[in-house]
Structures are given as structure tokens and as C-alpha cells.
Amino acid sequence: MSPRGPVVVLDGPAGSGKSTVAKALARVLGVPHLDTGAIYRSVALYMYQHGIPAEDSDELRRALEEIVIEMRDERVFLCGLDVTEEIRTPKVDSLVSGYAAIPSVRRALLGFQRDQARHGVVAEGRDMGSVVFPDADVKIFLTASPEERARRRHLQRISAGVQSDYDEVLREVQERDRLDTQRECSPLQVDPGAFVLDTTGLSLDQVVETLEKEVGMRLGKGA
Ligand code: DC
């Protein structure tokens, strides 16, 4: 393990439970939590607000130089404005995969993501282990069946007071899986060194407990 604090990465598809688990692990390890999906969501929101379509263009590359994203205490700020809730709207849900597939977008965000790991990190996303932090101390891949992930998202929306239709959520999950795994640039994939955990049928406590043990073992071995 490096002296700066561990770098632990969690990759996996939408709804696999990465966020809740990553926050819990970051607390246990005493390092910051980095939600890289929130960064891609902020970019998508900015482009949408400025009418810039999801295709590589001079306009898009100029915009990437202007965007200022800050992350503090689990809040996300886009050019100084708190967008923590706005980046989770169905509109941004439907747009984000399109922007995340553009190589210049991914390149522009690479340095920013690595900067956030200066003092160690638990970072979650799709290409943490394969591209952003290939030398991470621990790599985890979380997954669950599409039906289970859709069910979780459906219940989350209902408990947040948002109208939700399970079949529609399942179609969204499947479409996002297709886009995230089939794009040419940094597709979602299992890194060969990753510990893979299927969370279907497991409670959050069971997942966190399993991963705490695995992370402890892997960090202990590398120390
Ligand atoms: O984890 P999430 O649902 O908030 O991610 C939003 C989108 O961003 C999703 O379509 C995948 C994409 N993403 C990505 O391409 N690479 C990352 N490291 C994180 C998210």
C-alpha cells in the first residue's frame, strides 16, 4: 500500500450498489469517497444547459475547458452552483451515457479524477480499475442481475416521491448497460485483478461486511 492512504476502486453497472458501498468503505478506511458518475453527470448537465449535443465538436471541447466541477462533503458544484440533486434527474439519466462515450470527454476528466486521489480514495465508476487507477491497491467489481438493479432503482425513486414504472426502469437499466459496455472508449469491463461480487439477494450489510474483509486482506497483504 502507498504511504498516502489506500486507493480502492469499485466498478460496476448502474444500480449495482456501488455508491452506498463506496461511501461505507471510505468511512472505514478514513479516505475520501469519489463518485465519478457524478462528474460525468455534471458534464452532461452543463452541455444540456448550453445546448451542446453529445458529439465530438470544437464547441464541446471548448466547453470542457470552461467547466469547473468541485466535490465537497458529498455535494457536487458545477461552476459554483450546487447541482447535487439536479444531476440525478431522469433527464440527466437519459443523456449522460451519450457524453460519457465521447473520447475527448473522458480524456478531459482523467486528470481531475486522479487529482482527487492525492490522499487516498475509494473511487467508484466504470473504468476506475482499467483506466483511471490501473495501479489501485484494491480493485472491486460489483454486479447484480438487471432485474434486481431495476427493482432497487424503482424503490429508490418511489421512496424519493418520484413516479416510477418498474418495466420502464428495467428497460432503462438494460439500455444503459448496453451503452456502457459496448462503447469503444473505456467500456465497462471486469479488470482481471478485481474481486468480483454479485450482490443479487445480498443485503447492504452483507455486501459491506464481505468487502471490508476482502479489502482488509488485500491491503494487509500488500503492506
Ligand atoms: O454511476 P452513474 O449511474 O452515476 O454513472 C452515470 C453515467 O456515467 C453512466 O452512464 C456511466 C457513466 N460513467 C462512465 O462512463 N465512467 C465512469 N467512470 C463513471 C460513470
Side-chain angles (χ1 to χ4, degrees):
M1 198 212 306
S2 57
R4 68 190 175 328
V7 173
V8 175
V9 298
L10 269 107
D11 287 306
S16 55
K18 295 187 300 291
S19 281
T20 319
V21 171
K23 278 182 208 163
L25 281 180
R27 242 191 331 271
V28 170
L29 295 170
V31 294
H33 162 235
L34 176 64
D35 173 3
T36 61
I39 303 174
Y40 284 95
R41 287 170 176 276
S42 302
V43 168
L45 176 62
Y46 182 94
M47 299 299 174
Y48 172 64
Q49 287 171 339
H50 290 77
I52 301 173
E55 59 203 24
D56 205 359
S57 65
D58 289 344
E59 195 187 19
L60 177 120
R61 272 178 261 129
R62 261 197 309 277
L64 286 168
E65 283 171 19
E66 281 159 19
I67 295 179
V68 180
I69 298 169
E70 292 158 284
M71 306 180 94
R72 288 192 300 274
D73 305 327
E74 300 293 340
R75 311 287 308 169
V76 186
F77 299 84
L78 176 60
C79 301
L81 287 181
D82 188 337
V83 293
T84 313
E85 276 80 35
E86 213 175 342
I87 58 171
R88 305 276 164 206
T89 54
K91 184 78 217 168
V92 175
D93 275 351
S94 69
L95 290 173
V96 61
S97 294
Y99 292 100
I102 303 173
S104 56
V105 170
R106 306 199 73 85
R107 266 196 309 276
L109 299 179
L110 205 49
F112 176 73
Q113 294 175 81
R114 288 181 178 152
D115 276 354
Q116 312 298 309
R118 283 185 306 272
H119 308 296
V121 77
V122 176
E124 52 160 306
R126 304 293 190 286
D127 60 345
M128 298 295 97
S130 56
V131 177
V132 183
F133 302 110
D135 300 325
D137 298 298
V138 183
K139 296 180 183 181
I140 297 162
F141 191 93
L142 274 196
T143 187
S145 69
E147 291 74 16
E148 168 84 8
R149 291 185 283 122
R151 194 184 62 83
R152 290 177 190 164
R153 186 135 300 187
H154 174 61
L155 293 178
Q156 262 168 12
R157 285 190 184 162
I158 288 177
S159 67
V162 178
Q163 248 201 348
S164 183
D165 175 74
Y166 171 80
D167 290 331
E168 205 175 299
V169 179
L170 178 59
R171 274 194 300 278
E172 279 171 28
V173 163
Q174 288 167 330
E175 174 62 3
R176 214 123 72 82
D177 283 356
R178 193 184 65 74
L179 293 170
D180 292 343
T181 53
Q182 293 183 5
R183 67 173 175 232
E184 278 183 29
C185 187
S186 308
L188 173 67
Q189 57 189 337
V190 183
D191 190 277
F195 173 70
V196 181
L197 183 62
D198 186 334
T199 68
T200 310
L202 295 183
S203 70
L204 177 65
D205 286 348
Q206 288 172 316
V207 174
V208 172
E209 199 182 313
T210 307
L211 291 180
E212 269 182 31
K213 271 195 206 136
E214 186 65 27
V215 169
M217 240 163 52
R218 291 191 175 213
L219 290 179
K221 263 190 211 154

